[in-house]
Amino acid sequence: MQLAKKRADNRALIGESGAVATLIPLLWYSDLWTQEHAVTALLNLSLLEENKALITNAGAVKSLIYVLKRGTKTSKQNEVLVSC
């Protein structure tokens, strides 16, 4: 998801492609590395205002709360930023 890190046009294309819905189930993985990278990808996508609505509408809130309770320190920090 490095494509979304620095370029808003990529964030828009990735968000429009349906990637958000694909990332949500990864937040429930027991593998913390996978979970952390999914949260970080959502963080990068959430830098574009339009993607925040996509993230919320995809049902990410419950999954992000799960990460906040059980994830790594980095996952938790990134999750809080996604929520802003």
Side-chain angles (χ1 to χ4, degrees):
M1 222 17 111
Q2 288 292 324
L3 292 172
K5 189 171 185 177
K6 296 184 180 180
R7 297 200 42 193
D9 57 333
N10 285 342
R11 286 191 284 275
L13 289 171
I14 294 167
E16 291 168 5
S17 75
V20 170
T22 305
L23 290 167
I24 304 297
L26 298 177
L27 298 174
W28 294 91
Y29 268 46
S30 60
D31 175 53
L32 296 179
W33 185 87
T34 300
Q35 188 184 75
E36 185 173 310
H37 285 277
V39 170
T40 302
L42 288 170
L43 167 62
N44 289 334
L45 291 172
S46 75
L47 296 173
L48 184 67
E49 196 64 34
E50 292 82 5
N51 285 340
K52 289 181 182 180
L54 290 174
I55 292 167
T56 302
N57 293 338
V61 174
K62 184 176 181 180
S63 301
L64 290 168
I65 290 170
Y66 174 80
V67 171
L68 192 57
K69 291 180 179 178
R70 302 227 164 88
T72 65
K73 181 178 178 182
T74 300
S75 293
K76 291 175 183 178
Q77 291 169 338
N78 288 346
E79 186 278 328
V80 169
L81 294 172
V82 170
S83 301
C84 293

